[in-house]
Amino acid sequence: MSTLILDGKAVRDARFTELKARIQALIKPPILAIVQVGDREDTNAYIKAKITFGEKLGVVVKHIKLDEKISQHELVAKVRECNEDENIKGIIIQLPLPIAIDQDAAIEAILPAKDVDGLTAFNVKQWLEGREEAVLPATTRGVKELLEHYKIELFGKHAVIVGRSMLVGKPLAALCLNENAFVTVCHSKTADLVSQTKTADVLIVAAGKPRLIGAGHVQKGTTVIDVGINTVIGEKLEDEIPEKKLVGDVDFEAVKDIVSAITPVPGGVGPMTVLALFENLADLCVKG
Ligand code: NDP
């Protein structure tokens, strides 16, 4: 049987009209505030993607770009300003923040009702408990909707997650657990990664390590969800001008003929994450 390619871009495009209608039905165009500290190239690219998609939906995206040397106090004050602006319906603090800033304290400054990334303590408790009304972090919601679209069940399955960050790995593990999967979480201290990934029915990789997962890590029949986005530069010897290229944490070419379903990078989880972010915003608008 041929491998099913889980096409996040196609699913996102198919859902666009419905989401746009939800946004247009609101009394006023909602504002999404994106607070960025510094000027990282990768962060700029993620924000640009959110602005472009948001504008197509009719969301006003307010990009608040702050100096890298901003103090904790000033950042929190900026977030509180957004809390108080009733036209702003969702707030994102673009991560990672410079190391001098206490990331948790900055996130906690966001009102839970505007926490479109689902990362405040209030929302974390909600998604850990598997509450229906929880604001799921966008990547996790995106993965959930992609699996649902392709009717891939988590119930009773062995889900292996590689990565345990608060932004991606942990909420994905909570999702799988709440969907009644049996869950294994691997990380950089996992002694024998292969022995874990080889037993997965559903393998979700969010390590940020280009092509960490190869043919030897997977078994027949597994569904592979590759969350990783890594930029690699000019790999082919014949390339005169090495070009930047996006690759996942999974070696797609090596793995694709073994497993039963797999997400490409780009075009898999990335587009679903952006869609889910604005679905979260639409939900918050209705609740607020
Ligand atoms: P982090 O760096 O915060 O976390 C990476 C996790 O992977 C850590 O838990 C780390 O373990 C683990 N890890 C690292 N190396 C290995 C290894 N060799 N074996 C096993 N585990 C390992 O990254 P994020 O969670 O923020 O992001 C992960 C990836 O997902 C990145 O490529 C990022 O760009 C991408 N991403 C993609 C999104 C999308 O929309 N597609 C959205 C968000 C992120 P330890 O805890 O021990 O350090």
Side-chain angles (χ1 to χ4, degrees):
M1 229 171 69
S2 63
T3 307
L4 177 64
I5 305 299
L6 307 174
D7 188 341
K9 190 169 173 299
V11 178
R12 178 202 65 190
D13 291 348
R15 300 225 171 151
F16 178 82
T17 311
E18 187 193 330
L19 180 57
K20 186 169 180 178
R22 283 185 70 196
I23 303 274
Q24 308 278 306
L26 298 166
I27 298 163
K28 264 188 184 177
I31 301 178
L32 171 68
I34 304 182
V35 182
Q36 178 185 14
V37 181
D39 190 32
R40 281 173 56 133
E41 197 187 331
D42 55 348
T43 305
N44 289 337
Y46 291 139
I47 292 175
K48 193 169 164 229
K50 289 172 189 172
I51 293 174
T52 308
F53 192 70
E55 284 173 353
K56 282 189 202 156
L57 286 166
V59 171
V60 180
V61 182
K62 185 173 176 184
H63 182 189
I64 302 168
K65 197 163 182 167
L66 304 170
D67 189 273
E68 198 174 347
K69 295 198 176 70
I70 195 169
S71 70
Q72 178 85 30
H73 179 76
E74 287 168 306
L75 172 59
V76 166
K78 219 14 139 190
V79 173
R80 292 206 173 120
E81 258 176 47
C82 296
N83 286 339
E84 279 156 27
D85 183 336
E86 63 176 34
N87 293 315
I88 294 180
K89 301 295 183 190
I91 304 168
I92 294 173
I93 297 180
Q94 193 68 41
L95 302 176
L97 290 170
I99 38 170
I101 304 258
D102 177 345
Q103 194 159 293
D104 289 341
I107 289 169
E108 271 323 292
I110 300 173
L111 270 183
K114 297 191 179 191
D115 173 22
V116 75
D117 265 340
L119 292 176
T120 56
F122 176 87
N123 280 322
V124 169
K125 186 168 186 288
Q126 300 267 96
W127 53 251
L128 269 177
E129 289 174 349
R131 289 181 183 267
E132 210 171 303
E133 67 275 24
V135 180
L136 280 180
T139 303
T140 298
R141 181 171 181 167
V143 169
K144 179 174 187 275
E145 292 182 353
L146 193 63
L147 290 172
E148 283 170 357
H149 177 87
Y150 286 99
K151 301 192 170 31
I152 295 169
E153 293 266 348
L154 284 164
F155 191 100
K157 299 283 177 61
H158 183 204
V160 177
I161 322 285
V162 183
R164 58 173 167 178
S165 71
M166 268 313 286
L167 188 63
V168 190
K170 285 192 176 111
L172 279 166
L175 166 77
C176 294
L177 205 51
N178 291 326
E179 298 283 331
N180 292 305
F182 151 52
V183 181
T184 302
V185 180
C186 304
H187 46 77
S188 67
K189 312 296 181 290
T190 300
D192 184 0
L193 187 64
V194 173
S195 70
Q196 302 302 326
T197 57
K198 268 247 180 198
T199 60
D201 298 308
V202 178
L203 173 62
I204 310 182
V205 193
K209 297 281 175 266
R211 303 191 182 111
L212 172 70
I213 303 297
H217 289 81
V218 293
Q219 64 173 349
K220 255 183 156 175
T222 301
T223 292
V224 178
I225 305 290
D226 188 357
V227 178
I229 301 177
N230 310 287
T231 308
V232 292
I233 298 171
E235 296 170 302
K236 288 192 204 144
L237 286 174
E238 65 266 29
D239 280 354
E240 272 180 39
I241 307 165
E243 279 190 20
K244 284 187 183 175
K245 186 179 168 196
L246 284 187
V247 299
D249 288 352
V250 177
D251 187 340
F252 182 87
E253 288 305 323
V255 162
K256 76 173 193 315
D257 294 327
I258 305 170
V259 299
S260 65
I262 185 167
T263 56
V265 176
V269 175
M272 291 304 294
T273 297
V274 180
L275 175 81
L277 175 73
F278 286 95
E279 287 177 333
N280 278 350
L281 181 72
D283 291 350
L284 290 179
C285 289
V286 174
K287 283 186 208 162

